[in-house]
Amino acid sequence: MSTTARAQKAPDTRGPVRKLLTSFGFQILAALVLGIAAGLIGRQLGATAENPNGLSATLDTIGNSYVTLLRAAVVPLIFTAIVASISNLRRVQNAARLAGQTILWFAITAFIAVIIGIVLGLVIQPGNRAGEGLETGEPYTVGTWWNFLLGLIPQNFLGLTVNTSPGAADGTFSSSVGFNILQVIVVAAVIGIAALKAGKKAEPFLIFTESLLKVIQRVLWWIIRIAPLGTFGLIGSAVIKYGWEKLASLGWFAAAVYIGLALVLFVVYPILVRTHGLSIKQYFSGVWPAVQLAFVSRSSIGTLPLTERVTERNLGVPRSYASFAVPLGATTKMDGCAAIYPAIAAIFVAQFFGIELNFVQYLLIVIVSVVGSAATAGTTGAVVMLTLTLSTLGLPLEGVGLLLAIDPILDMGRTAVNVAGQALIPTIVAKREGILNEELYNAPREGLPFADDSGDDDAPEADAATDKEPVGAR
């Protein structure tokens, strides 16, 4: 199979200093360092989560505004990308096997991650080493299997949800509008399938959807360009709000979680990459921009545009497949939030309350983590997944309150691993099915991978494999 790695471009005449300064990875790392410094300065000036000052308020506004921009673009991206990707399935063979392979590898990696979590929980025993001053408390949200099944049924065409809660003491109420991402995926998938069944009469709709997708992607590239600014605000605000002193009483628990995350990210994933004949270095250099943004934004959904972009442009996954697999993974592929964390946290709660778990309960942890990841879709995944695990095991839900104090600190690492896995699985499946553009995968990473070059306005080079050979061809 012959493919072109990249569109021909003029030679890069930038000097080494300019190349470094314009590198997306360098800009994110610089923003992380500056953000930490700004956060430490803010804490020295007396800023806390309860008593903010001008610096902390500015950092918080910058960070939250950037995440809001990302999330605002996610819903139209998911809808148009899934409709367009399903319409593209008519051009490939064995599309059902491609989807089946994706889901299978989601489950395999989740199984490995949850086993690691259980082993670490039993070896480190964080619940028996918990410090003083921990308080139990009811979780603010509870995940159940019934709610997950109901969540698959779209409440309206847009998957729109409105939450109303009592406000201040004056009796007023405040409402917030959100989207159930899993419902958006369901709606988009149904419409995409219906368009395929409609045949030629649906061609104008499909052409419009693909054109709209191009426009949305262009807006997303503009948002991604200012990611270093958002990173600066997010990490600076996190340092001020949470600090590291909150790790004191839950130090062993935090250590167990981060050891598990590191094992999955730096051991399990590289092994999978190497066993499929791919370069580990190229995988990490390709996915790292999305991992960095995920770490500071703490949102797989907010990072989705960047995750999809690096999966296509850096890792060589065809857009027609990546636009389906990455959004699906952003809602259901969560090795950090839905496998490692709930396993260690459930064992922590059991140890803290002096409850002995039996073999059946450990088996239930595995089943819940592998099967129940989708219950986290469109929500704060880790808390929902933990309450789902605890309720399935019959453990006290009050144990969730023990861990909420350091949840934001853990969530940074969890989300980074989630996103790394969401890019890994499409890459592995594309390699197994013979549609991975390996020239693009092995190409040098040259600065910002989202430049406004002419290649963005044409069919992506990574799709060449899909156009030339049917899926599964060798």
Short mmCIF file of all heavy atoms in Angstrom, two decimals, residues 50 58 68 107 121 126 139 174-175 213 222 248 270 301 317 442:
data_model
loop_
_atom_site.label_atom_id
_atom_site.label_comp_id
_atom_site.label_asym_id
_atom_site.label_seq_id
_atom_site.Cartn_x
_atom_site.Cartn_y
_atom_site.Cartn_z
N GLU A 50 -10.93 29.72 49.46
CA GLU A 50 -11.97 30.44 50.20
C GLU A 50 -11.76 31.95 50.17
O GLU A 50 -12.74 32.71 50.24
CB GLU A 50 -12.01 29.96 51.65
CG GLU A 50 -12.41 28.50 51.83
CD GLU A 50 -11.29 27.54 51.51
OE1 GLU A 50 -10.11 28.00 51.48
OE2 GLU A 50 -11.57 26.36 51.26
N THR A 58 -7.88 36.21 38.47
CA THR A 58 -7.48 36.33 37.07
C THR A 58 -7.11 34.98 36.48
O THR A 58 -7.54 34.62 35.38
CB THR A 58 -6.29 37.29 36.94
OG1 THR A 58 -6.66 38.58 37.44
CG2 THR A 58 -5.87 37.42 35.49
N THR A 68 -14.31 26.54 28.85
CA THR A 68 -15.64 26.83 28.33
C THR A 68 -15.62 26.90 26.80
O THR A 68 -16.54 26.39 26.13
CB THR A 68 -16.16 28.17 28.90
OG1 THR A 68 -16.23 28.06 30.34
CG2 THR A 68 -17.55 28.48 28.36
N ALA A 107 -12.12 -2.73 26.14
CA ALA A 107 -12.34 -3.63 27.26
C ALA A 107 -11.03 -4.28 27.73
O ALA A 107 -10.80 -4.42 28.94
CB ALA A 107 -13.34 -4.71 26.87
N GLY A 121 -3.88 -1.63 45.39
CA GLY A 121 -4.68 -1.43 46.59
C GLY A 121 -4.37 -2.45 47.66
O GLY A 121 -4.31 -2.13 48.86
N PRO A 126 -3.80 1.56 51.19
CA PRO A 126 -3.93 2.98 51.54
C PRO A 126 -4.98 3.24 52.61
O PRO A 126 -4.83 4.18 53.40
CB PRO A 126 -4.32 3.63 50.21
CG PRO A 126 -4.97 2.52 49.43
CD PRO A 126 -4.22 1.29 49.81
N PRO A 139 -21.92 11.53 48.61
CA PRO A 139 -21.49 12.05 47.30
C PRO A 139 -22.54 12.97 46.71
O PRO A 139 -23.73 12.82 46.95
CB PRO A 139 -21.33 10.77 46.46
CG PRO A 139 -22.23 9.77 47.11
CD PRO A 139 -22.20 10.09 48.59
N SER A 174 -31.22 28.79 40.55
CA SER A 174 -30.32 28.99 39.42
C SER A 174 -30.37 27.75 38.53
O SER A 174 -30.50 26.63 39.02
CB SER A 174 -28.89 29.24 39.89
OG SER A 174 -28.41 28.14 40.63
N SER A 175 -30.28 27.97 37.23
CA SER A 175 -30.34 26.87 36.28
C SER A 175 -29.07 26.87 35.42
O SER A 175 -28.53 27.92 35.10
CB SER A 175 -31.57 27.00 35.37
OG SER A 175 -32.75 26.92 36.14
N LEU A 213 -18.52 20.40 9.22
CA LEU A 213 -17.44 19.82 10.02
C LEU A 213 -16.13 20.55 9.75
O LEU A 213 -15.36 20.83 10.68
CB LEU A 213 -17.31 18.34 9.70
CG LEU A 213 -16.15 17.59 10.38
CD1 LEU A 213 -16.25 17.67 11.90
CD2 LEU A 213 -16.10 16.14 9.93
N TRP A 222 -8.27 27.31 15.93
CA TRP A 222 -8.01 28.62 16.52
C TRP A 222 -8.02 28.55 18.05
O TRP A 222 -7.21 29.18 18.72
CB TRP A 222 -9.05 29.63 16.03
CG TRP A 222 -8.97 29.92 14.56
CD1 TRP A 222 -7.90 29.70 13.74
CD2 TRP A 222 -10.00 30.47 13.74
NE1 TRP A 222 -8.19 30.07 12.44
CE2 TRP A 222 -9.47 30.56 12.42
CE3 TRP A 222 -11.29 30.91 13.98
CZ2 TRP A 222 -10.22 31.06 11.36
CZ3 TRP A 222 -12.03 31.41 12.91
CH2 TRP A 222 -11.50 31.49 11.62
N ALA A 248 -1.51 15.34 52.55
CA ALA A 248 -0.91 14.84 53.79
C ALA A 248 -1.66 13.63 54.35
O ALA A 248 -1.07 12.57 54.57
CB ALA A 248 -0.84 15.95 54.82
N PRO A 270 3.12 1.45 26.28
CA PRO A 270 4.28 1.19 25.43
C PRO A 270 4.40 -0.28 25.00
O PRO A 270 4.82 -0.56 23.87
CB PRO A 270 5.46 1.62 26.30
CG PRO A 270 4.89 2.65 27.21
CD PRO A 270 3.51 2.18 27.50
N ILE A 301 -13.53 15.46 27.54
CA ILE A 301 -14.39 16.07 26.54
C ILE A 301 -13.79 17.38 26.05
O ILE A 301 -13.77 17.68 24.86
CB ILE A 301 -15.80 16.32 27.13
CG1 ILE A 301 -16.46 14.99 27.49
CG2 ILE A 301 -16.66 17.08 26.15
CD1 ILE A 301 -16.72 14.09 26.33
N VAL A 317 -3.96 7.83 11.94
CA VAL A 317 -5.24 7.11 11.87
C VAL A 317 -6.16 7.81 10.88
O VAL A 317 -6.29 9.04 10.93
CB VAL A 317 -5.91 7.06 13.27
CG1 VAL A 317 -7.26 6.35 13.20
CG2 VAL A 317 -4.99 6.36 14.26
N ASN A 442 5.44 7.75 11.56
CA ASN A 442 6.88 7.82 11.79
C ASN A 442 7.49 9.14 11.36
O ASN A 442 8.71 9.33 11.49
CB ASN A 442 7.57 6.67 11.06
CG ASN A 442 7.23 5.32 11.66
OD1 ASN A 442 7.23 5.15 12.88
ND2 ASN A 442 6.90 4.36 10.80
#
